[in-house]
Amino acid sequence: AQSVTQLDSQVPVFEEAPVELRCNYSSSVSVYLFWYVQYPNQGLQLLLKYLSGSTLVESINGFEAEFNKSQTSFHLRKPSVHISDTAEYFCAVGARGNTPLVFGKGTRLSVIA
Amino acid sequence: GAVVSQHPSWVICKSGTSVKIECRSLDFQATTMFWYRQFPKQSLMLMATSNEGSKATYEQGVEKDKFLINHASLTLSTLTVTSAHPEDSSFYICSAPRHSGETQYFGPGTRLLVL
């Protein structure tokens, strides 16, 4: 079984400041790791994912996450946030194969002008 | 690209009625689909795994007689909330994995409000 811990439930940050949203996971098997973003009253949008290979993965809108196997972490970072980044961010883990994802409790990122 | 759709996107119903939610994979076949539930300001919790041609498997604490799942074809899974009550009000999201789980396609969700 897998589990995901998102250490921060809420992260307020000023516009153009850097941000890190933390995610730790546990699993007894190899997993895929995902970050999803959810805007108010909307569904999930995939931000980025780690499958294998390079431990640093990037999204098209400036977010990046680094898979750290020894620390079982997959923290999400952005060097300069925008107001439009205000949303709920979910870290998720899935075992390889057609298995469901296990989600963290989410981190609400609030970008302040 | 591959898309998963859900219908309806919104439903408001009276307590005691049944509500059916459809989840469709639009350009690929999905032998497995997952149903999640998200209460306000909470995370997604897996309810059940829908398997084409066989019975669904339910997570602990999810009543199988209340949340009926039918996966009648390779592109359609339905979730029926029977005798809905206000505590069933939630956001229901389906997903379909592809490429051995490397990709998980999520539907846009169905918001259910039971009055």
Side-chain angles (χ1 to χ4, degrees):
Chain A
Q2 297 83 44
S3 68
V4 177
T5 301
Q6 289 185 246
L7 297 167
D8 306 297
S9 59
Q10 296 186 63
V11 173
V13 62
F14 286 105
E15 192 174 18
E16 298 184 4
V19 70
E20 178 180 81
L21 307 183
R22 296 179 291 172
C23 172
N24 287 89
Y25 71 95
S26 68
S27 177
S28 57
V29 298
S30 295
V31 294
Y32 300 136
L33 293 158
F34 305 81
W35 274 100
Y36 287 88
V37 59
Q38 186 178 36
Y39 297 99
N41 299 313
Q42 294 189 26
L44 296 178
Q45 296 179 29
L46 177 66
L47 201 54
L48 44 73
K49 62 183 176 182
Y50 171 78
L51 303 178
S52 66
S54 173
T55 57
L56 184 65
V57 290
E58 299 177 349
S59 72
I60 58 174
N61 55 355
F63 283 95
E64 64 179 31
E66 187 159 18
F67 169 61
N68 187 317
K69 188 175 182 178
S70 63
Q71 297 186 7
T72 60
S73 67
F74 190 53
H75 301 331
L76 181 70
R77 303 184 185 94
K78 188 170 185 180
S80 175
V81 295
H82 302 287
I83 294 290
S84 59
D85 293 325
T86 294
E88 190 84 22
Y89 290 80
F90 292 98
C91 180
V93 62
R96 300 183 180 210
N98 289 338
T99 61
L101 297 187
V102 175
F103 286 84
K105 292 188 175 183
T107 297
R108 171 159 293 281
L109 173 63
S110 298
V111 180
I112 306 162
Chain B
V3 174
V4 169
S5 69
Q6 277 184 246
H7 178 79
S9 56
W10 266 98
V11 58
I12 301 173
C13 68
K14 293 182 179 179
S15 184
T17 60
S18 294
V19 176
K20 179 185 283 187
I21 303 170
E22 295 185 346
C23 177
R24 293 182 184 272
S25 57
L26 295 185
D27 60 359
F28 68 100
Q29 294 180 336
T31 56
T32 300
M33 291 184 175
F34 304 111
W35 286 96
Y36 298 84
R37 181 168 54 183
Q38 184 182 31
F39 290 109
K41 299 190 184 302
Q42 294 188 29
S43 187
L44 281 78
M45 298 298 292
L46 180 69
M47 296 177 66
T49 299
S50 175
N51 304 298
E52 189 271 335
S54 63
K55 290 182 179 180
T57 54
Y58 292 81
E59 296 300 297
Q60 190 173 12
V62 178
E63 300 174 56
K64 62 179 182 180
D65 294 329
K66 181 171 182 63
F67 298 99
L68 302 179
I69 291 173
N70 183 24
H71 198 145
S73 76
L74 288 171
T75 59
L76 174 63
S77 173
T78 60
L79 168 68
T80 300
V81 184
T82 62
S83 186
H85 288 95
E87 58 265 30
D88 298 323
S89 297
S90 187
F91 192 47
Y92 293 86
I93 305 174
C94 69
S95 77
R98 206 176 179 193
H99 308 131
S100 297
E102 289 186 1
T103 305
Q104 298 265 356
Y105 294 104
F106 282 86
T110 297
R111 198 164 296 280
L112 170 64
L113 177 60
V114 184
L115 301 176

